[in-house]
Each structure stands twice: as structure tokens, then as C-alpha cells.
Amino acid sequence: MAAVTTSTERSLNKLAIVGVLIITMIFLAPIYWIASTAFKPRNLATTIPPTVVFQPEISPFVKLFTKRSQLRTAPTPEQYAAAPWWERLVFDGGEKVVRSGRGEVQWSGYPSRFMNSLIVAITSTVLAVGMGTFTAYGFSRFKVKGEQDLLFFILSTRMLPPVVVAIPMFLMYRVVGLNDTHWGLIILYTAFNLSFSVWLMKGFMDEIPKEYEEAALVDGYTRMEAFFKIVLPEAATGIAATAVFCFITAWNEYAFALIMTNRRAQTAPPFIPSQVGSGLPDWTVIAAGTFLFLLPVAIFTFLLRNHLLRGMSFGAIRK
Amino acid sequence: MAHIQLKNISKTFGNHTALTGLNLDIGDGEFFVLLGETGAGKTTTLRMIAGLEKPTEGQVFIDGVDVANWGAAERDVALVLQQYSLYPRYTVRQNLEFPLKPKIRRLPDAEIKDRVDRAARTLRIEHLLDRKTDRLSGGEMQRVSIGRAIVRKPRVFLMDEPLSALDAKLREALRTELKNLQMQLGATFLFVTHDQIEAMSMGDKVGVLNHGRIVQTGTPYEIYNNPRDTYVASFVGSPPMNLIDGKLVNGRAVMAPLNFELPFEGRAKTSGATDGRPLVFGIRPEDVYLESGAPVEARVHDVENHGVEKILTLRVGDAMLRATVPARTDVEIEQPVRFAWDPDKVVLFDKGSGINLRHAG
Amino acid sequence: MATAVMTTLDPNSRSAARGMSDLTIRNLFIIPTIVFLIVFNIFPLIYSLGYSFTDFRASSPAAANFVGLQNYRELLNDPFIWSNFAITAKYVIVSVVGQVIVGFGVALLLNRDIPLKGLLTTLLLLPMMLSMAVVGLFWKLLYDPSFGIINYTLGLGSFEWLSNPDMALYAVAITDIWMWSPFVMLLSLAGLSAVPKHLYEAAAIDRAGSFYTFFRITLPLVAPILMIAVIFRTMEAFKTFDLAYILTSQPTTEVISIRLYKMAFQEWQTGRSCALAYIVLIMILAITNIYVKYLNKVKER
Amino acid sequence: MTQIELRGVQKYFGAVQVIKDLNLKIDDNEFIVLLGQSGCGKTTTLRAIAGLETIDGGDILIDGKPVQHLKAADRDIAMVFQSFSLYPHMSVYENIAFPLRATRKSKAEIDQEVRSVAKTLQISDLLAKKPSALSGGDMQRVAIGRALVRRPKAMLMDEPIGALDAKLREEMRAEIKRLHIKQGSTTIYVTHDQIEAMSLADRIVIMHEGVLQQVGSPDEVYSRPANLFVAQFVGSPVMNVADAAVAEKASSASVTVGGAATGFEFPGALLSKLNGHASDKLALGIRPEGVIVRREAADGFLPVEAQIVEPLGSFDIVDLKVGSQMLRARTKSGFISGPGVKVFARIDPAQTHFFDKASGKSLGVRL
Amino acid sequence: MRKTMTSMLAGIGLVLACGTSVYAQDKELTIFWAEWDPANYLQELVNLYEAETGVKVTVETTPWSDFQTKAFTEFNAKGSAYDMVVGDSQWIGAASEAGHYVDLTDFFNKHNLKEVMAPATVKYYAEYPSDSGKYWSIPAEGDAVGWSYRKDWFEDPKEKEAFKAKYGYDLDVPKDFKALRDIAEFFHRPDEKRYGVAIYTDNSYDALVMGVENAIFSFGGELGDYANYKVDGIINSEQNVKALEAYKELYSFTPPGWAKSFFIEDNQAITENLAAMSMNYFAFFPALINEASNPNAKATGFFANPPGPNGDQFAALGGQGISVISYSQNQEEAMKFLEWFIKEDTQKKWAELGGYTASAKVLESPEFQNATPYNKAFYETMFKVKDFWATPEYAELLIQMNQRVYPYITGNQGTAKEVLDSLAADWNATFKKYNRVK
């Protein structure tokens, strides 16, 4: 139902389209640059003017997945010939693949940290959104003494600078053996996201007419059944929107991941920048790591985008 | 089928009192209408019977059993609401099946199908069964909601303004349908509405609720013709009963401070109607008539043409009086007319309390 | 029909029908979350509160001595700390205001009749999906005066974004704005689409021009959700650490979190850093409280 | 002094045509009600006049000037919405002042206008309140006040009282009417409620599926419906419509309804007036008050059985079974004690309408 | 109460921890270090140990920026995640006083490491407090700040001629700080996008201080008296003022945006053709002779930190010793590993792999010195290095120095004298606070 559109109105609209496109391009330029760098040969990574046309390479990804060190002497032609194609790419880059005492190729920390990220982010998102949904329902439907204070308390737990809790958290984790475990991070991220989740979900829950459950109650269902059969499906949009936010936060968290975990449970965010370490940064490898790491969130968000947009518009306004 | 009794029910929400000392008796198989304005406490009463709300004080009996500790599921009542009683994600069939599938009274599949089909037939919604509920019209939705209630064969049907979101034609049609349905099922119905036409046309009995109290319970006829107080008098009937301050002087109704008189004798007179007592005279618009030789002169303030009849608003001094006249009556606004009333139909109310003198005794 | 079969209830099934009471469900739904948050958020807080009254050094085996309010006193008298707070305040204001202007502006554009709106909106969200640390790394490169793309594209020669003490804070804020304007945009879009269309129609009928409509209708009605965005972004901006730490090390960009980090993890003045953390926390709480009060006022309207 | 004219207005939503070649001329000071079911195009028509909707064909003229290309703001028309559309963040005063402020009136002038309108509508004591603190009726008054304050060329109202309680609707109806008489501005009012239409309108415009069905005074549309749709849409309870068979019987005509054994007696003139219209294509319409019921048998009365009695206070509506057909009759309150009672009924020929079954058009038979 | 709480938490933790796989191998050692090439070389070295003994040794790394934080959080929590750490030289005070490191004095004496390792490395990597004869680490990765330069620029005849004309002496590897300054000035040509020199300026950890130290030490200055914590008159001495001014002057010849530069930026200055000379740790030089990472590899030369005006020649020390962590459950195994590590053969191998050995013998061997273009400079430097304070409160001292010096160097605030006077006052106050001086 468009209001009457005049010609000025129409040209304004065209202007808006152009504006949006320009802004989108500006916003995406750095990301495009990262993504393209992930496929560049090392010597084209930081050229000025930036290299736009180039032969895409896969070597950044090979390097990303292997442990390497600087070549001190060039490989012998035999060595070079005997090496598999991907190892030659590393040789070409003036590096060699580090092998273990038994001669096995050593993986870089990336794959395992990527897996850790997946485990930690998915589990904590499920937990935070799950608990958040339950709690939001509780606050939305039942009388709770000091509800406003409790909600503020829940929100306030997100205000702590991570540095504040890092030391006591670390000491506490040490006592209970949670440091450097997946569960340790999962709990932290869950706690961190829970406040947001409760807040957001409360908005959505308030929007779902309580008549739906009451009809089910009268029809002979228990409240639990009504909750699972009626409320949850209705809240799907809100849950999706909340999940996107929680996932993004957990996926990218840096400070706790750095302090609380070592080899076993560390996630990728602290790992990617560490690739700068060896005297001269190989931007192609960092870009490759960043690019791969962006994919899961981007895909997740893209799949849920309709929920995200719709969800934000009906739940959030009331909070 | 069930007999429902509410005894001395009070309900407060925080410092807001919704109901005070409510007593209600709904007979088995009765179509009971609870009539009141928005906020009078109708819905709260209904939710209390459904078990969705607990009374602050008092007891609810279903078939003589105190159901204080029964949850909504156990009371075996069905609920039809103005909106939201259908699940938007489900098809009509799924909606109709839903009440038949809880753990406590899960029916065999064949039986479920049978009941759903029968309900659909009764309500003429068979062609809608596979449609999603968000693609139904208002009337269809309300039929499905009613269907959801009847598949259960519950002891009591509770209906919370099920028709008020519909347009006039549909309301009229569904009114008859509902009444028919209730007669067929022989079930107890508690129907809540703010629309007095619905109350009058459907109810076996009507309870008028005002500010959390039952003001009057009775048949539509009683409520209409013998309202217990001025509130009921003005609430029931469209246009409402005319209420004029005055007193009786020597068998005549003397309207003060308006200074006009009308004859008053005969059947309407009751024991409390002593001369000089400040009264309120109530007269229905249809009992006010225009006559060239009638005792009082008025001006036509407004004319509403309803087709079958016209509703005139007459102005006498500052007072407004409604009169229903045949459609053929030809009057203009601001035209002077003379009117009289049918003294037998006059209802007398005490000026102070507003109580009908016949009830006061 | 009056003899329709009744489904009578087996009296034994009554308890089954009832399920858990509402009270049980409420407690079941709410208490775990509260307990969880207390254990993992409040417990460490109490821990640090205790330390904040001591001279505890986590790097030393020496027992902590109770020093009363000394840490607080010293911190509040330290001009360096106050300058850190001033920098933080400046940063928060620049970055949040920037995000609101950009985010809300883009949302206004997107709220029009734009083709491929959903796709564009999702693409615009990409910056906030990156890790702060990585963003810092790449933006440092983008800002580089000699081989950064920003100077090349804008033709700024060798403009010093990060080495210029007067510019550095803005450069950090620009990066933050790039990253988080999408968040504000998303919430603003939600707010904008929640303004009932008929109000705009009413305003059109009332002969209000587009500017008048914007300032008198749109803005006040989106204000509550915009406030929410502002609250969240302020809280986050106040806590900014990674970005500023990675991008620059100018004294003019030493926001309070960096100072806190250095105190806690480089100097290992655990007790004192806990005290500083508390001062920060109280400030955030106070600011949020003011915001929330204001938000409620805005919502009341 | 405002005349509004629609000439051949067409409007599509996608492939659906919602207004089909609408022609309508509205005189100055007239109170026009657009009546129809939801989705009939009445609101779209109103919005097109307001400038909130573009049209795909035809002209909209205000005082003879085409305005279809003007923005809403430039048409100088006020509108009251069903949802009231009060600005939730402004006080009543600000709401009413909004249209004046938007056009940059002086402060003093605004204040004076607002207060005078508020006085007219008796909402002076509400000026400081926010819309959320108002009752439905007061919100409606404010919405009307906001429209009136500008002294617009015309007032458009889109179901302005549809969201109110029944009792309140009645009161507001009267208020709106008085106000119109007092202010005397051209008014177009949209509703689906025929009682509102009947009691408010100078002329009623009945629309159905985008097509104008009939334009006429309340009396005309009630007593001379142009077609079956109008006949059944106007009047409550609804007009009875039944298949009718007309046969010659001596000098009079016999009209059989619902395949009953005997027919009702009609004057012989009917036959000539029907002009040989095929009997099996006839539909008979009779309003409940045209069905006359007696307790005792009498000439021309057929025996019938009461099915449902609906007491409506001042009168009852009784469903009578005639053959396979249900005819609803209006009786005095309590005239029939309950379902199952046997009574006698006849149809008043003077109040009977005949329609062509296929087209629904009235045959214009008046007896 | 606390106990109950603790055991309760322990319970929760136990349940949760079950979900995480637990590594179990008989003999395994973990060495903690920062993420850089030497750690990779070390991994290659310890792979040999595994081949010899079957004990698996893993080198765990974390980014440099977080290395210190992470190590100390782990120490403070008495964590046993690591058995050994290759920790920065400044940590030794904090770590030994807090009991995080195992006392290696006996081991040291038994193997006569004082002789085996280059003396400066023993002094700074291993011994604490100064001259106490107590040892906490085995020097592992020797490192110091040296210089790289563009041979092709230096050897360009035109440039040589122009230089000679301007400064009156031949353009060559700088023989002192004055020459360093002249060359920097000579090559500083912003319109050609070519600049004089790249130096350390990052103040987030010790980069800037290292750079300044290079000047101070070569100018004959000291940071203070490490034995009695006297700083006044030492840190703000005449030489130091001169040195600081000299460093500030160098800053004016740096490429644009050079206010947060450390090893990455300084190496980039060479690879990206920005600067004629660049200061850096020797540990980062391998990247510069690798043609894959440095297009100018063939044209890159190296030199040791030049002497100051009085002929003193010193350099700031980097590098790390390897220590055994007190909370390790494999201390015995770790000692065995160290015995293997200090063997001459191992040290040789270590140097071959790319590690910077501290073994005096290996350093002195011509094989080592000729192995790379910079090994000779490294060898020279390693016998004249000096380091920052190693007291437990070194971090505070470092931050204070950053706070004072950084605005002066990069932001033109105050004079060198004022800056160093204030610094002396800050340090004095800090030492008072920790009761080092009365």
C-alpha cells in the first residue's frame, strides 16, 4: 500500500538506492579485501595500488593448515621433486613444513582450534538460547517478586569488563579443573550470552498471546506440554534472531579464550592473529584463516536472515 | 453437562479489585450470558471457571464439587475466545484434533477423525480442513474455534466474546448458529459479551455484571422489562430506556426540574411509590409515542432512520428522550411534536439508590 | 444429541492432568539461570571485591594484606587514571554517536522501497561477524600511511591515522563504527518497521512535511529501541580493549580497559586492578541506570 | 464549499481490481457513507480520495480540479482513521495541534484553535493526557478534533467507531451526526455497519467487490434495494430471500415459497408487473416486519411452526418454517412463547421485493 | 563455608570435565613459548629428543602480545599445564621470587654452565638477583637488538658520492651513532617515499624501551644500579639525556606512522623499501634473508649496534632462558631434558636449525659465524649486551618508562632531561613502595 508517490518521492527513492549501494560497498570493501587476500600470492598481499586482478592461489590455505618454518637452505631438487604438490607450494614460499620426530607432517593449530570454536560456540549458543528462552518465558508469564530488579541484575552481568572477572574466574576454574576445557569456555560464553538472551527473548515472549497456551491448558494439556507444543514454535523467529547474536559473540570472543584455554580447548580467534608472529606477517595466511572463520557465522546468519529481520522487528520494540 | 456454582467469589489483582462477593448459579444445559461493559469482570469470572485464574476468596463448584485445586486441564471445560484460540501454524484439521490428543484423554485415531469430521460437518467447515488458519476469514476462524470446543464434548462451553470481532451480518448469522448448536448439544454454555443484543437473543438467562458485582440475573424478558436498577435499565436495550427524574403527585408523574407532567396510574404503581418521593421514571423508547393531542410538547433533536423504524431524540428543555416510531413517520429535525407514554410500561426507580421499586420490596 | 458421550476423567489421572504446578515451572525456568549467573558472574565479582581491599599480587606467593580503601584512594587521586577515564568517555561518545548516525542513517535508507533489501541488510551485517582482534589487525594495515588502502583510495598521501595523537582515537572509533553500525542499523530497522504505517498516513493527511514528520513522528517513536542500541553499544564501547590495544599505543588512546589490563596482567597489581575494575563497573552501572531510567521515560510517552 | 467527484476511478492491487469504474458525485455539505463488507473497496476509495493511495485510472476532482497527482498534504482533506492513529508520544493537546504546527501557524493561533475544538468536543480536561490514558471514546474524540482543527475542505472517516463497545458506538454515532450538522463540512464516512450508515447518511453508497451497487438516501436503499446484495446487506435482521414460484389463481396471484403446499395470495397485478419473467428465475425478498404473524387462522394466512425465538427486548425475531424455507418474522415481544408453537403467517405484498435470481437485480415490482 | 563452596564447584567441574578428552601419555613434556620461528626450530630440535628417548616434547605457543599474561596467569594459578617455559629475561625476578621457577643453581654448577654459556647470557638469562650466584634458567635463545640495512642503497655509487660530499666521509655501515644519524638523515627523503631509519616505538610492552636502551647503553649510560636500586643520577645522567635526544632525532627520520612499531614493522621497513636501516632483534632476521618473504633479501645487510660518542658499544638484550616450572609434575623428566639440551652437540644442532645458541663455544666457532650474514654481528653483540631491570616489579618500571619516554619521542613533549628526571622519581617511588630502598 504505497502512499501516493510523486516524482520527487520517486527520485528520492532512487537516491536512497544509490546511497545504500555505496554504503554497502564501503562497508564490504575491507571484507572483500580480506577475502581476496586469502587467495593472493604472498608478494601481492600488500601492494599499493591493491592488486585486483591476480591468479588465485590456494597456497595460503595450505600454509594455514600446516606448521611451517623458514627455509634456511633451499630444498634439494630431489627433495622438491619428492614432495607432494601442496608441500611444493610451501617450498615455493620459502618455507618448509615442520615434521614430527617420526616424520609426520605437523598440522598447524588452525584445524583443531576451528573445531574447538565450533564445539564451544554451538554448545554455548544452544545453552544460552535454551536457558534464555525458558527464563524469559518464566518472567513473561509468571509473577516474579522483584522482577525488574532481577532483570536488571541479569543485564548487569553483561556490563563487566572481561578483565574484571578474568583473574577470579581463572583461579576458580583452576580449582574445579575447568580451565582449558571446552566446558569451561562453554559455561563462560553461556553466562555471558544468557543475559542478552533473556532480555531479547522476554520481548518475544511478551508478544506471544498467552491465550494460546491457555487454550491448550483448557484442552487438557499441562503447561509444560503447552510450552513445548505451542509457545516454542511461536517463538521460533525470536529464538533464531537471538541465536544469531549469541553465536556471533561466542564465535568471536577473544579475551577469555586467550586466558582460559591453552592447547586443548583454545578457539580460533586468539590463534589467527598469532600468525603474525614470525618476523614478517604473511597476510595471505591470516586472511585465509579469517576468511574461513567468517564463513560459518556468515552462512548461519544468511540462513536465518529472514528470522533475524522479522524477529528484531516484533520482539525488540516492546522490551 | 454440568451445573456450575460460584460462591462469594472475590478477586483482586494487586490493588485493583476485579470481583467482589460474586454469586452465580448456572444450571445444567443452560445458555447463560454474562453481560457487562469492558472491565466489569466478565472475563475474570470466566477464567476462574476455566481454572486459569484462582479466586482470592470464595469457591467454584462444578457439579457440586469444589474445584479449587483442579487445574484447567482437569475441569473439562472448553474455551472459545475472541481471538488467538487458534494456533497459527496449524491447519484447521490440526487445530480441531489438538484438544483430542493430550496425554490425559488421548483418543484413538479413528475416533479423533470421526469427531473432527462430525464437528466440521456441523459447522460447515469441511472444505477448510486442510487450510492453514491464517488463511481463513474472521467468520471461518470463529467457526473453527467453536469446532475446537465441540470436538471435545466438554462439560461446559465457555465463550469469551467470540463474536465481537466479526462484522454485523456475520454476528447475526453466528448468533443463531450458536443458539442452535447449544440446543442440539444440550450443553451448559457460559457466554460473555458486552453486546446486549447478543445477550438478549441468545441467553436462557442473563447475568448483568457491573464493577465486579452481579447486578441482576434473570431471563432476557425479565432483564428487559423489569431491570433491577437504573444501570441495567440503561445498559440493556437499544436505544436504552429513558430515565427521567421526577415524583408522583396525585397520580401524575411530575418531572422536576423539567416541569412537564404525564399521567401515571394503573399497573406500574407499586407500594413504595408514595407521593412526593424522589423517583426516576423509566420508559422504553418504544413505549413513548407521538400524538397530536398528547400532553407534552418537545422538539425533534435527532432522527435516526433504521429502516424498519425511526429513532427520534426528543428535546424537552435540557432533557433528551428517545422514542421509537414507525418508519413511515415523517419528522424533521427541530420540528415541534407532542408525545405521551404508555403508563403501564413505566418502571419506577428510587432516585437515591437507583433500585427498581418492585425489586426493593 | 443431548446424550452425547462424555469423556469422563479417571480420578487417578487428575494428577497427571495437572502436571507441574505453575510455581514449580516458574522456579524451574528461572532459578537455574539466576543460580548460573550468580555462580559464574557474581561469585568472581565478590572474589575481586575482596581483593580490591588488599595489596594482593597474583604473581607473588606473599599473602594478601588488608589495606582498606587505600587502593581506591590512590586510584582516584591518580591523574593518569583520570585521563584514562576522560579518553574513554571521549571514545564512547565519538564511537556511539558515530554508530547511531551511520546505523540509523543506513536504516532510514533501507526502510524505503529498496530492491534486494533482505540481502543487502544481511551483507551489511558482515562486519560485526568478525573477531575484534582480527579486525584490529587488518585495519592497522588499512590505516598504514605507506601501504594502507585507505590513504591510497582517499588520496591522503601518507596521512598518519594512528601515529597522530590527535587522530588515533578517532581512527579507532572509525573502525568500531565500521564494525558495529550494522548492529545499530538492525535494531533501528526493527524500530522503524514497528512504527505503524497509519501514523505516517495521518501525518501526511495533517500536511506535515517529511522533515517535520521525521523529527516529530519517526524519531520519537524509534527512540526507545534506539536507546536500547545505545545502551548496548555504550556498555561495549566502555569495555573496548582489543581494538584500541591492537591498533595503536598512543597515550591518547589509552582507554580505561587498557590501563586495567596493564595493571592486572603486566604489573600484576591484582588488588589495585580489582579496585579499578570496581570503579569501572560502578560507572557502567551508573550510566546504564541513567539510560534505563531515561529509556523508561521515553517508553512512557 | 467542497464538491468531490470521482470519474471512472480504477484501482488494481497487483492483478486484482479493487475499484471498478467508480463514478460518484458528492455535494457540498453532504454526509456520504460508503457501505460494504470488508474488502469491497470502500476503504481503498476513501484512501484514494485522501491521497494515500494512487489510482490506476480515472479522475478524482475536488471542487472541479483533478487532484489525483497531488500528495495527501496538498489536498487539504482531513481524515479520521479506524485505529484513531493518535501519535502515541504526544499529549492530546499536541495531537490536536499537530496539523497546525505542521503548517507553521503562530503559537497563539494554535492555542486558540486547539482549545476551541476541545471545547466543542468536550475534551478540554483531557488536553494534558497521553492517548494511552484515554478511553476509546475519548480517543475518537481527539482524532476527530485533530481532523476538525484544520477546518479542512472535507472530512474523511474510515470506520471511526468500529473499534468501540456497542453502547459507546451508539453515543458516538449521535455525536458525529450532531457535529456534522454544526460544522457542515462535506463528509465521507466508511463503515460496514448498516445501522451506522442508515442513521448517519444523507446518501449511502453501497459497494461490493469494487463495484458500486446503489446510491441513495437511507430510505431508498432500505425500501427500494437495487439488487439482492443491497437488499440483504441493509436492514437488521436480514431480509428473507426465498425462491418463489408465481402462479395465476383466479383473479389474484399465488406465490409459493420454499416449495410449500400452498402459496401466499398476491394481487393479480403482480403477474403483469412481472411481465412474464420466468417463474423459476425469481427470488422473493421480504423483510421480517413484512411477515405478518397471527395466533389464529385467518384468510390468506398459512399455518407455520416457530423454530427459534430470539427476544430482542422491544420485539422478538421468530424463525418460521414455510415449506423447506425459514422465514424470519418480527413480532411483538413475547408474542410467541417459544419454539414449536404453531402460528399463522402471511407476506405483505406491499413490502415484497422480486429479484432476478441470476443477476440479482431488482425487478422493480411495487404492489 | 569456603571449603564447601570449593568442593561443590569441584563437583560441578568434575562432571563437566568428563566431556572433555583427557590426554594421557606416559612421558610427555610441554615447553611453553611465544609463537615465532624459533619456537618452530625448537620443536624440530626436540623432535630429535623424542627420537632418541621416546619422550614426546611439545612446544606450546601463544602470540607474543599475550605470552607474558598467559604465562603468569598459569604460574599464579600454580598450573601444571607446562613443564618448562622459555621465559623473557625480565621475568626472572618475578618468577623466582614468587617461586614459580625451580632453582637450577646446583644443576648450573654441576655442569659448569657459567663457563659453557656466554657470560652476558648467564648474567641476564639465568642469574637472579644480580651477582647472587643463584640460577633459575638455562640460556636458550640468545637474542639482542641489531640492525639490518639496504646494501644496494649503501653501495650505489651515486649515493656514495653524494654522501661523501655532504658529510665528508664514506658511506658505509655506521661506525658510531653519529654515522647512524647522518645516514638516516641522508636517506630520509619523504617525497621519494624513502626514509632514513626504522626504530622501535611500540610502548605496549618493551619495544620502545629496548630501542632506547640501545642508545643509552652505547652512550655509556645505565638504567640504574641493579645491586642497590639507586637510579637518581644514573637514569637521568648526562649520557642518558644525550642518548634519548639521539633516539628522538632518529625518530624524525622514520617512515610516516611510525609510532607503534616493533619487529614486524621494522622488518617491513626493509621489505617494503621504506627505510635504509632498521633496528630489530636478531631472531627476526631469518625472514629478511628469505627471498620469499623479502624481495630485497640479497640486498640486505646486517650490523651490530654501533658504539656511542665515547666508543662504548652495547646492545639491549632480548632472548630467553629455559626454566623448569615449580608446579610441573614432570620435573625430573624436565631436568633430564635440560641435560640433553646443554650438550654441545645439541647446541650445535640448535644453531643449525636456526636457534640462537648461547653456548660460548658454538658462538665462537667459525661455522656458526659464517652460517648467515648476521651471525657474526650476533656473535659480536652477545658479548656486550645489557638488560632491563629484572626485579619482580619490572613491569611497573617498564610502564613508567613508557609513560614518560613515549610522549617525548613521538609527541614532542618536554625535554629529555625533564623526562628522565621524572622517570627517576617514578622509579624511586616504586622501589620505595617495594622496600628496595629506604
Side-chain angles (χ1 to χ4, degrees), chain E residues 89 92 121-127 137 139 141-143 317-320:
Chain E
S89 50
I92 194 166
T121 64
V122 173
K123 178 172 164 66
Y124 293 111
Y125 296 144
E127 189 179 21
S137 303
E141 168 80 1
D143 202 356
L317 180 83
Q320 297 86 21

Side-chain angles (χ1 to χ4, degrees), chain C residues 245 262 266, chain E residues 64-65 67-68 87-91 143 145 200-214 223 247 261-263 279 281 284 316-320 387-389 394-395 397-399 401-402 406:
Chain C
Y245 191 70
K262 286 183 178 169
Q266 291 189 347
Chain E
W64 263 113
S65 50
F67 181 37
Q68 187 255 7
D88 252 357
S89 50
Q90 302 97 301
W91 300 2
D143 202 356
V145 181
Y200 284 175
T201 55
D202 190 1
N203 62 350
S204 43
Y205 189 45
D206 63 357
L208 173 67
V209 171
M210 287 291 150
V212 172
E213 277 176 4
N214 253 9
L223 299 181
Y247 200 75
S261 48
F262 198 10
F263 52 89
M279 159 189 278
Y281 281 119
F284 295 106
L317 180 83
Q320 297 86 21
D387 200 7
F388 194 70
W389 298 93
Y394 78 93
L397 304 174
L398 192 61
I399 286 170
M401 185 154 173
N402 275 327
Y406 185 85

Side-chain angles (χ1 to χ4, degrees), chain A residues 143 209-222 225 229-230 233-237, chain B residues 47 52 72-73 77-79 81 84 86-90 98-99 101-105 148 152:
Chain A
K143 256 180 274 167
K210 65 181 196 312
E211 281 84 353
Y212 285 149
E213 301 131 74
E214 292 183 345
L217 286 184
V218 170
D219 280 344
Y221 291 87
T222 64
E225 290 169 323
K229 276 186 201 290
I230 306 298
E234 282 302 303
T237 288
Chain B
R47 289 167 58 81
L52 297 171
V77 298
L79 195 58
L81 304 172
Y84 298 132
L86 295 184
Y87 305 126
R89 255 152 241 279
Y90 289 7
F98 191 78
K101 289 183 163 174
K103 284 197 205 96
I104 46 159
R105 45 168 170 257
R148 263 181 51 117
R152 283 251 315 274

Side-chain angles (χ1 to χ4, degrees), chain B residues 119-138:
Chain B
R121 239 185 348 263
T122 314
L123 295 163
R124 289 172 291 144
I125 49 172
E126 292 136 296
H127 59 296
L128 302 174
L129 281 177
D130 294 318
R131 220 179 270 180
K132 279 266 171 67
T133 50
D134 49 8
R135 306 200 40 216
L136 300 179
S137 72

Side-chain angles (χ1 to χ4, degrees), chain A residues 46 68-70 72 93-94 99 101-102 170 174-176 183 187 254 258 261-264 274 276 279-281, chain E residues 6 9-10 16 23 35 37 40 47 50 60 63 66 70 73-74 77 79 82 264 272 284 290 292 352-353:
Chain A
T46 54
R68 296 152 291 122
S69 69
Q70 301 261 353
R72 301 175 57 76
R99 287 172 190 274
R102 278 177 232 111
F170 188 80
R174 173 62 71 192
V175 172
V176 299
W183 277 111
I187 287 171
Y254 178 81
L258 185 74
T261 58
N262 303 322
R263 156 184 48 166
R264 269 181 283 161
S274 79
V276 171
L280 269 175
Chain E
T6 313
L9 289 172
L16 293 170
Y23 284 65
E35 175 78 32
D37 263 343
N40 290 333
N47 284 345
E50 186 185 353
E60 252 312 285
D66 312 300
K70 194 125 182 44
T73 11
E74 190 68 26
Y82 311 118
I264 291 175
E272 307 283 341
F284 295 106
N290 191 329
E352 273 167 31
L353 282 167

Side-chain angles (χ1 to χ4, degrees), chain D residues 252-312:
Chain D
S252 60
S254 165
V255 179
T256 319
V257 169
T262 39
F264 294 105
E265 198 182 302
F266 269 64
L270 174 65
L271 289 166
S272 58
K273 288 200 174 169
L274 281 175
N275 207 5
H277 209 90
S279 193
D280 57 340
K281 284 185 187 159
L282 273 185
L284 171 149
I286 180 80
R287 296 205 182 272
E289 64 264 28
V291 180
I292 299 155
V293 187
R294 300 180 59 147
R295 289 209 185 91
E296 307 84 22
D299 234 19
F301 281 75
L302 303 183
V304 290
E305 186 186 315
Q307 298 279 315
I308 289 186
V309 179
E310 275 189 82
L312 289 176

Side-chain angles (χ1 to χ4, degrees), chain E residues 116-405:
Chain E
V116 173
M117 299 293 173
T121 64
V122 173
K123 178 172 164 66
Y124 293 111
Y125 296 144
E127 189 179 21
Y128 187 83
S130 285
D131 304 321
S132 62
K134 289 185 81 97
Y135 300 99
W136 306 91
S137 303
I138 312 296
E141 168 80 1
D143 202 356
V145 181
W147 294 83
S148 56
Y149 72 101
R150 288 295 293 273
K151 271 200 282 190
D152 49 345
W153 298 7
F154 275 52
E155 285 160 10
D156 185 332
K158 267 192 224 137
E159 302 284 6
K160 275 178 132 33
E161 205 178 307
F163 187 86
K164 177 103 190 211
K166 188 167 179 193
Y167 297 98
Y169 60 96
D170 283 329
L171 172 59
D172 200 354
V173 171
K175 59 182 194 308
D176 57 18
F177 255 80
K178 165 81 171 49
L180 187 75
R181 181 222 159 266
D182 289 346
I183 298 167
E185 185 190 54
F186 177 70
F187 282 111
H188 192 66
R189 302 159 194 169
D191 8 335
E192 292 174 34
K193 301 223 165 203
R194 186 186 263 205
Y195 309 92
V197 65
I199 55 174
Y200 284 175
T201 55
D202 190 1
N203 62 350
S204 43
Y205 189 45
D206 63 357
L208 173 67
V209 171
M210 287 291 150
V212 172
E213 277 176 4
N214 253 9
I216 286 181
F217 293 147
S218 275
F219 273 66
E222 288 284 353
L223 299 181
D225 187 334
Y226 294 168
N228 58 21
Y229 301 98
K230 183 173 153 30
V231 289
D232 204 20
I234 303 178
I235 181 64
N236 50 357
S237 66
E238 196 74 8
Q239 302 97 297
N240 284 8
V241 170
K242 286 256 158 54
L244 197 59
E245 282 166 356
Y247 200 75
K248 182 176 166 51
E249 197 181 6
L250 285 182
Y251 179 73
S252 63
F253 304 130
T254 55
W258 216 253
K260 186 183 168 72
S261 48
F262 198 10
F263 52 89
I264 291 175
E265 292 76 9
D266 278 22
N267 266 0
Q268 273 174 343
I270 294 294
T271 61
E272 307 283 341
N273 305 313
L274 286 177
M277 300 174 288
S278 171
M279 159 189 278
N280 219 339
Y281 281 119
F282 281 92
F284 295 106
F285 286 158
L288 290 185
I289 56 164
N290 191 329
E291 279 178 62
S293 45
N294 180 10
N296 309 314
K298 289 224 168 68
T300 307
F302 303 89
F303 60 90
N305 196 35
N310 305 324
D312 293 311
Q313 187 183 15
F314 290 99
L317 180 83
Q320 297 86 21
I322 185 167
S323 307
V324 179
I325 295 166
S326 310
Y327 320 109
S328 158
Q329 322 219 312
N330 305 310
Q331 288 185 18
E332 266 178 52
E333 207 55 57
M335 298 303 262
K336 274 190 215 154
F337 171 79
L338 288 184
E339 273 179 32
W340 176 81
F341 181 72
I342 56 167
K343 282 188 194 158
E344 201 184 318
D345 277 356
T346 314
Q347 287 294 319
K348 221 183 230 161
K349 189 80 198 152
W350 174 221
E352 273 167 31
L353 282 167
Y356 284 96
T357 176
S359 156
K361 251 195 204 140
V362 178
L363 283 174
E364 280 156 10
S365 70
E367 289 151 271
F368 175 80
Q369 294 183 16
N370 296 327
T372 70
Y374 46 79
N375 272 14
K376 184 140 194 302
F378 177 70
Y379 157 75
E380 286 163 8
T381 310
M382 279 321 277
F383 288 88
K384 33 195 169 183
V385 286
K386 290 188 177 183
D387 200 7
F388 194 70
W389 298 93
T391 47
E393 54 276 12
Y394 78 93
E396 270 163 84
L397 304 174
L398 192 61
I399 286 170
Q400 285 161 346
M401 185 154 173
N402 275 327
Q403 269 177 353
R404 293 296 176 189
V405 171

